[in-house]
Amino acid sequence: MDAVLRAGAIYLALMVLFKISGRRSLGELTSFDFVLLMVIGEATQQALLGDDFSVTNAILVIVTLMVIDIGLSLVKRRSKRLAKLIDGGPTIIVENGAFLRHRMHEARVQEDDILEAARIEQGFERVEQIKYAILERNGKISIIPA
Amino acid sequence: MSLLEQEMQDRVHPVAEDLTLQRKVWRFQRVGWYVLTAVVILTLLGLFSRGPLSSLETVSEQGDLTVQYERFHRAGGTNPMIVQATGQPGKEITLSISKPMLDGFSIESIQPQPVRSVGSPQGLSLTFPTDKNGHVTLFISWRSDGIGLFKSQISVVGGGHIPLTQFIYP
């Protein structure tokens, strides 16, 4: 029984925590972010398994996590609103070559982040060359040329 | 319409936005950061065991029993407890630990070992020899097994008692 409870509690806690830290947190994974992600995994591991290191327990925990994940994706397909609440929606942060600064501030995106994405994706030098920059649900910035 | 309001209007092209919801999410994040910071500070203060809010030293009314313990515990963790009792010099002293304590915790180690230990439905009675001043100091390492609130007491048989209220986090 406690394998299911542990997995459920951890799933919920991680979902809320990552919601708080925002989509920029792990969207653009630097090597340090990667290390941080692994450390989070290490910290979670003990709580997930408790002091039961049996194969059965490990499988039960994995199965529970998968059931929750699949279940949630099914519910999200049914309810658009819940999907938006959990995954968020895309946000436009550059419009017709102009930064939308309030939105950028709220979403914790900087000019440099957008210009970097513009260089990598399109080879642009200036913000005027961008028609739209969109902060996507997964934290990546997509660029639509003018 | 102000510039800010204009900027915060929903766009439908190239993507359909729901900024009302997005702003709620942003607000939730702002509040969340404060909550997380508060959690860190409270942890440093000892709300989740080990810290000024948690560590406690209590003396019984008669002054013959002192217990240092933690108010907050975490399931599976171990925490020390130091019990100092005073009895008759050179004679034995019996301490009793009530059952709720043994429901929530198990003794991982106890130093010195009691010369006699008797279990009953009410709990555990441990007998120790005292030194020439009549003191005995007991070091117990408790491992938290249960979850929730445990109200128990430690007492000297024929002497004072100390009520303990302890909470074990899951």
Side-chain angles (χ1 to χ4, degrees), chain B residues 22-124:
Chain B
Q22 190 59 52
R23 292 179 89 172
K24 276 186 200 152
V25 171
W26 284 331
R27 209 169 308 135
F28 171 75
Q29 288 181 354
R30 291 269 187 287
V31 174
W33 299 334
Y34 287 114
V35 172
L36 294 190
T37 312
V39 167
V40 171
I41 291 168
L42 287 172
T43 307
L44 289 173
L45 287 177
L47 184 67
F48 302 100
S49 171
R50 306 216 181 176
L53 283 175
S54 175
S55 304
L56 210 61
E57 180 173 332
T58 318
V59 184
S60 67
E61 272 175 38
Q62 292 93 321
D64 59 346
L65 184 64
T66 307
V67 180
Q68 286 174 42
Y69 66 104
E70 299 280 335
R71 215 192 299 251
F72 299 108
H73 299 256
R74 294 191 293 236
T78 52
N79 277 309
M81 172 188 272
I82 301 174
V83 182
Q84 287 168 295
T86 310
Q88 305 275 327
K91 284 198 178 157
E92 288 183 338
I93 186 168
T94 302
L95 297 172
S96 86
I97 298 170
S98 73
K99 178 143 180 310
M101 181 111 201
L102 300 160
D103 290 338
F105 303 84
S106 58
I107 296 175
E108 188 131 294
S109 75
I110 182 165
Q111 291 295 338
Q113 296 290 321
V115 290
R116 237 184 353 270
S117 95
V118 180
S120 74
Q122 283 74 44
L124 208 56

Side-chain angles (χ1 to χ4, degrees), chain A residues 10-64:
Chain A
I10 293 287
Y11 190 98
L12 194 72
L14 284 182
M15 199 162 79
V16 171
L17 283 176
F18 275 81
K19 210 70 227 172
I20 289 172
S21 72
R23 54 186 161 185
R24 291 285 298 161
S25 298
L26 292 168
E28 314 268 297
L29 219 57
T30 64
S31 54
F32 181 72
D33 291 334
F34 182 64
V35 173
L36 198 63
L37 192 61
M38 288 203 319
V39 174
I40 292 173
E42 290 278 317
T44 315
Q45 183 222 358
Q46 284 275 310
L48 270 177
L49 295 179
D51 43 14
D52 178 351
F53 298 117
S54 63
V55 175
T56 311
N57 191 30
I59 291 174
L60 287 177
V61 166
I62 294 168
V63 166
T64 309

Side-chain angles (χ1 to χ4, degrees), chain A residues 20 22 92 95 100 102-103, chain B residues 7 9 11 17 19 33:
Chain A
I20 289 172
I92 298 168
E95 195 176 38
L100 300 176
H102 291 294
R103 292 169 171 219
Chain B
E7 190 181 315
Q9 288 246 306
R11 313 298 204 258
E17 293 183 314
L19 268 194
W33 299 334

Side-chain angles (χ1 to χ4, degrees), chain A residues 75-86, chain B residues 21:
Chain A
V75 175
K76 275 193 275 191
R77 260 185 20 189
R78 287 257 180 108
S79 155
K80 262 252 164 68
R81 179 149 183 86
L82 189 75
K84 263 192 196 162
L85 205 66
I86 293 174
Chain B
L21 181 78

